[in-house]
Amino acid sequence: MADFFRGRRLRNTAALRALVSENLVTAQDLIMPYFIVDTDDSTFRKEIPSMPGQFQLSLDEFEKQLAEAVAAGLRSIILFGIPKCKDATGSEGYADDGIVQRAVRLAKSRHPELVVITDVCLCEYTDHGHCGILQKINDDVTVANDSTLELLQRVAISHAKAGADIVAPSDMMDGRVQALREALDAEGFVNLPIMSYAVKYASAFYGPFRDAAESTPQSGDRKSYQMDPANSREALREAAADVLEEADFLMVKPAGAYLDIIRMLRDGFDLPLAAYQVSGEYSIIMAAAQNGWIDLDAVTMESLIAIKRAGADLIITYFAEDVIKRGLVR
């Protein structure tokens, strides 16, 4: 009799492999991002060149696309807005009739059961492309942390009043979760959850997103407030701070190059954990598939399984709509 391990016994058939599969990605796990443009052209639908298959959408086009996705089984979305006008304080980001606020009302009126998450930040709305109010210290221009918190509170409250199910601050200002919690509670939104971009790295993988959201900084970069990709222990400090400030979800962004960070947070905290498979991750896979170098379906699902295996409960991904519509997840 052989004295070696026969692991292949459990790989013999597709049914056996499914029976012992340790991780599963379902439609319930996936969150689809949408870019909504404030435009008078109701038919506006512009493909994002660096993100094949993804579009900037008018409200009407968003309504049509969302209806198809929900009918196919999509259950959660996250919204990003592109305003008509930008200014130094990103005032369109907290306007009651802002583009995200209108998109939330539309989505919830058409699909009450849909989980609608809103990105709480200012970079899409400021004329300088940074995530808050700029200040000059000596010869350096940087984002003013505490005064930015006041504007983020206004953004979150406006999203809550529009009907958002979850607000998700992505700015990486210190103390933002506490500031949002206090403001939401004061306005009566005690039960509105906060999904914190707790661990958001200053990543090169964001390039295509900045095309999509038209949020490229006009000068400088975001390294003074987003995290250094070389650091991992810092991720635990950031997450721990957000837990103390009453975050309801934690998030790691990006996902694919930061699976170790996802695992660290999963092992260290018991809150629901999201991971954002960002624009650059999406575009790399799409570009390779379009060149015939990889199998798009297989690589897409393998990348999602890897994120789930690392410990994420939820995945924000630009593949969400497609994999649900084509039955790759159920």
Side-chain angles (χ1 to χ4, degrees):
M1 180 178 292
D3 58 358
F4 50 81
F5 171 64
R6 291 194 180 274
R8 291 180 57 185
R9 287 176 183 149
L10 299 183
R11 304 177 202 139
N12 242 357
T13 66
L16 272 174
R17 292 191 293 274
L19 183 67
V20 299
S21 179
E22 298 176 22
N23 291 280
L24 179 67
V25 176
T26 71
Q28 188 71 47
D29 305 326
L30 302 180
I31 301 166
M32 180 68 194
Y34 289 99
F35 300 99
I36 318 301
V37 180
D38 193 352
T39 174
D40 296 326
D41 180 1
S42 63
T43 64
F44 184 86
R45 180 182 178 85
K46 179 183 177 184
E47 187 168 25
I48 301 159
S50 56
M51 297 178 68
Q54 301 301 310
F55 297 83
Q56 294 177 332
L57 302 168
S58 67
L59 273 176
D60 285 0
E61 288 296 312
F62 167 61
E63 180 179 9
K64 294 175 189 176
Q65 186 164 328
L66 183 62
E68 292 180 4
V70 170
L74 181 68
R75 302 184 186 183
S76 304
I77 65 174
I78 185 167
L79 298 176
F80 300 90
I82 302 166
K84 282 184 179 178
C85 301
K86 303 188 179 193
D87 58 34
T89 62
S91 60
E92 283 296 304
Y94 44 87
D96 288 341
D97 62 346
I99 185 60
V100 163
Q101 291 80 351
R102 281 180 280 153
V104 170
R105 294 187 189 103
L106 175 65
K108 293 302 294 184
S109 67
R110 300 292 189 273
H111 311 285
E113 74 289 354
L114 184 70
V115 177
V116 177
I117 307 165
T118 57
D119 179 76
V120 175
C121 196
L122 294 169
C123 60
E124 300 108 300
Y125 305 95
T126 55
D127 53 14
H128 47 74
H130 281 283
C131 299
I133 298 172
L134 295 185
Q135 65 178 0
K136 189 171 183 179
I137 301 176
N138 298 323
D139 293 328
D140 296 326
V141 176
T142 187
V143 174
N145 192 95
D146 294 6
S147 53
T148 294
L149 295 181
E150 298 175 13
L151 297 186
L152 296 173
Q153 289 175 319
R154 296 177 67 177
V155 174
I157 290 168
S158 72
H159 291 178
K161 289 180 176 178
D165 296 295
I166 301 170
V167 293
S170 64
D171 54 284
M172 287 299 286
M173 296 298 110
D174 294 339
R176 69 201 189 287
V177 173
Q178 179 177 314
L180 264 59
R181 186 73 274 156
E182 290 175 353
L184 291 167
D185 289 357
E187 291 288 329
F189 297 104
V190 176
N191 292 322
L192 185 72
I194 296 173
M195 177 184 287
S196 174
Y197 287 67
V199 179
K200 181 178 179 181
Y201 285 90
S203 172
F205 284 96
Y206 300 152
F209 175 91
R210 292 171 184 172
D211 293 339
E214 300 180 8
S215 61
T216 302
Q218 296 302 300
S219 62
D221 54 42
R222 298 184 176 130
K223 293 180 180 179
S224 69
Y225 46 101
Q226 294 177 0
M227 287 175 51
D228 184 344
N231 292 354
S232 56
R233 294 191 303 273
E234 182 183 4
L236 296 175
R237 297 196 296 273
E238 289 284 353
D242 286 358
V243 170
L244 289 174
E245 293 176 18
E246 294 191 58
D248 300 284
F249 300 79
L250 300 175
M251 188 196 303
V252 175
K253 180 181 180 184
Y258 296 85
L259 297 178
D260 59 324
I261 307 300
I262 296 172
R263 172 46 57 187
M264 286 175 64
L265 263 65
R266 176 72 292 146
D267 291 342
F269 304 94
D270 59 5
L271 291 181
L273 180 60
Y276 200 142
Q277 186 181 48
V278 299
S279 58
E281 297 175 75
Y282 170 86
S283 296
I284 288 169
I285 293 173
M286 290 297 295
Q290 289 181 338
N291 277 284
W293 297 335
I294 61 171
D295 180 314
L296 177 59
D297 290 353
V299 170
T300 297
M301 291 309 302
E302 187 173 338
S303 71
L304 296 176
I305 282 286
I307 296 167
K308 195 76 184 294
R309 188 183 67 240
D313 300 299
L314 307 169
I315 305 172
I316 303 172
T317 174
Y318 301 95
F319 290 113
E321 244 195 36
D322 198 40
V323 298
I324 291 171
K325 284 182 177 178
R326 293 194 294 115
L328 297 177
V329 301
R330 302 205 179 268

